[in-house]
Amino acid sequence: MWLSVLVGVVGLVVGLRLLYRTWSGRCVSSASMRGKTVIVTGASAGIGLHTAADLVKRGARVILACRNLEKAGRVADELRKGARDGGEVVVRHLDTSDLASVRRFAQEILDTEKHIHVLVNNAGIVGTEERQVTGDGLEVIMATNHFGHFLLTNLLLDRLKQSAPSRIINVSSVGHKRPTSLDIDDLNLEREAYSKMRAYSKSKLCNVLFTLELARRLKGIGVTANSLHPGVVHTDIMKSLEYSLTNILLKLMISVVSKDSALGAQTTIHLAVAEEVEGVSGKYFVDCKEAPTSSLGRDQDLARRLWEASEKAVKLTPGEAH
């Protein structure tokens, strides 16, 4: 009896895994990226790595923007082996949790790159259960996942405009649907009971709202901005989960019924290269198709207020603001 139950459970799990992967969207575009310059943050592992690998094979000049230069250097060596049609790989240091690092990276890019055709804001963390604050006074998950990318995008926006048509891609998550509210006056999560999943889900909501307002501000100038959910993906980010029974079960579930990083990167790649999304902006994609966000994610006034609060949080100067 127990053997039959076990066989049934295993069969169900395997079936779910196969169905999920079969139904998952895949980028079918064969568009060349020769002559295009692409920046991918957090490109030394997971979805970012596989996004970069695909774009290098399409002939793009891909800048890996990473915290760990040693790891990124090893990744770059491997990616160069698969480069085609003039594809190049460049490594630059970037820690999106550190605003000074973001500014140094942006200045280096502006000094060395004449064009930026695609900016992929991919870097992200889940964080720890204990609330942590960066040297800039920002909650670390919000800083890494939202504030750093907000600042980076603003600093590079003129170059993106000069390179139009160009694209900005913000990697969010279905987790953005979890929050029932977003207190613009408490983006560093000081007032409410803290949990890393609350911080993570709110940072992902900020990714969606940032995209919404960014697209509104960029309307009609040839630069598009879209966000996405990559799917349930088993990536290195899962290693950051602390030891607990809940997290062990979560890791087990995700390892069994999930996409691998290559499949998880497909929607990002689709938004970077597909001809059919040229001119599409302010949308949210899942499995390479447009999908609805939460009601909060569609709130234009909330998006505007988040933008204004983010400008203050990252100390954006009048000359940098858009």
Side-chain angles (χ1 to χ4, degrees):
M1 175 183 175
W2 289 110
L3 180 59
S4 298
V5 171
L6 179 61
V7 170
V9 170
V10 171
L12 177 61
V13 169
V14 171
L16 288 173
R17 179 185 178 89
L18 290 174
L19 281 174
Y20 184 57
R21 293 195 172 203
T22 300
W23 290 341
S24 295
R26 291 165 172 79
C27 177
V28 297
S29 172
S30 59
S32 169
M33 293 293 284
R34 184 178 177 86
K36 304 291 186 181
T37 298
V38 180
I39 297 172
V40 183
T41 70
S44 63
I47 294 168
L49 187 159
H50 286 279
T51 299
D54 182 278
L55 299 177
V56 169
K57 290 178 181 178
R58 294 172 186 263
R61 174 180 171 82
V62 180
I63 299 169
L64 313 183
C66 306
R67 287 188 298 181
N68 187 327
L69 286 180
E70 182 179 352
K71 182 179 180 182
R74 293 194 298 269
V75 167
D77 289 340
E78 289 302 311
L79 295 185
R80 289 184 184 109
K81 296 176 184 178
R84 300 172 192 163
D85 200 24
E88 299 177 66
V89 184
V90 178
V91 175
R92 295 282 184 265
H93 180 263
L94 172 65
D95 180 351
T96 57
S97 72
D98 180 352
L99 300 183
S101 173
V102 175
R103 290 183 180 280
R104 284 193 298 271
F105 171 82
Q107 190 58 57
E108 186 174 11
I109 292 299
L110 294 175
D111 289 342
T112 59
E113 305 297 329
K114 294 181 179 180
H115 302 285
I116 306 171
H117 300 98
V118 182
L119 171 61
V120 181
N121 290 320
N122 166 81
I125 61 169
V126 173
T128 64
E129 286 298 345
E130 182 179 352
R131 182 178 177 274
Q132 296 182 328
V133 179
T134 70
D136 300 297
L138 305 174
E139 191 279 324
V140 69
I141 297 175
M142 286 292 293
T144 305
N145 298 358
H146 168 61
F147 288 123
H149 286 126
F150 174 85
L151 176 60
L152 176 63
T153 303
N154 273 277
L155 295 177
L156 298 181
L157 206 47
D158 280 339
R159 190 58 45 88
L160 282 154
K161 290 177 181 179
Q162 293 164 8
S163 308
S166 52
R167 306 181 185 189
I168 300 166
I169 301 161
N170 295 322
V171 179
S172 181
S173 164
V174 70
H176 87 272
K177 296 184 176 183
R178 186 171 182 245
T180 56
S181 64
L182 182 67
D183 186 348
I184 296 300
D185 296 322
D186 188 32
L187 292 176
N188 286 307
L189 309 172
E190 297 173 285
R191 300 174 186 172
E192 61 181 306
Y194 183 85
S195 78
K196 67 180 180 183
M197 291 314 298
R198 183 176 288 117
Y200 178 78
S201 61
K202 290 198 173 187
S203 74
K204 296 291 103 178
L205 174 58
C206 287
N207 293 156
V208 172
L209 289 168
F210 167 44
T211 304
L212 188 66
E213 178 65 6
L214 180 60
R216 186 188 71 81
R217 291 173 179 245
L218 295 175
K219 187 174 182 180
I221 63 172
V223 184
T224 60
N226 292 292
S227 62
L228 68 105
H229 167 52
V232 180
V233 185
H234 191 262
T235 67
D236 287 355
I237 202 169
M238 298 307 298
K239 295 177 182 178
S240 66
L241 292 178
E242 296 175 336
Y243 181 83
S244 70
L245 178 59
T246 300
N247 286 341
I248 289 174
L249 293 174
L250 178 61
K251 287 181 179 181
L252 179 62
M253 180 188 74
I254 290 178
S255 66
V256 173
V257 184
S258 66
K259 302 178 182 181
D260 58 21
S261 295
L263 192 52
Q266 293 302 302
T267 304
T268 306
I269 296 166
H270 173 75
L271 289 174
V273 307
E275 298 90 338
E276 60 262 37
V277 295
E278 184 67 49
V280 175
S281 193
K283 305 300 182 182
Y284 172 74
F285 286 75
V286 180
D287 285 323
C288 302
K289 298 185 293 291
E290 189 179 329
T293 66
S294 67
S295 58
L296 282 178
R298 298 190 295 273
D299 189 329
Q300 289 277 7
D301 182 63
L302 186 62
R304 177 188 57 78
R305 291 190 292 120
L306 172 65
W307 184 287
E308 293 170 353
S310 299
E311 283 187 337
K312 294 177 182 178
V314 303
K315 298 179 174 59
L316 206 65
T317 68
E320 295 166 344
H322 295 269

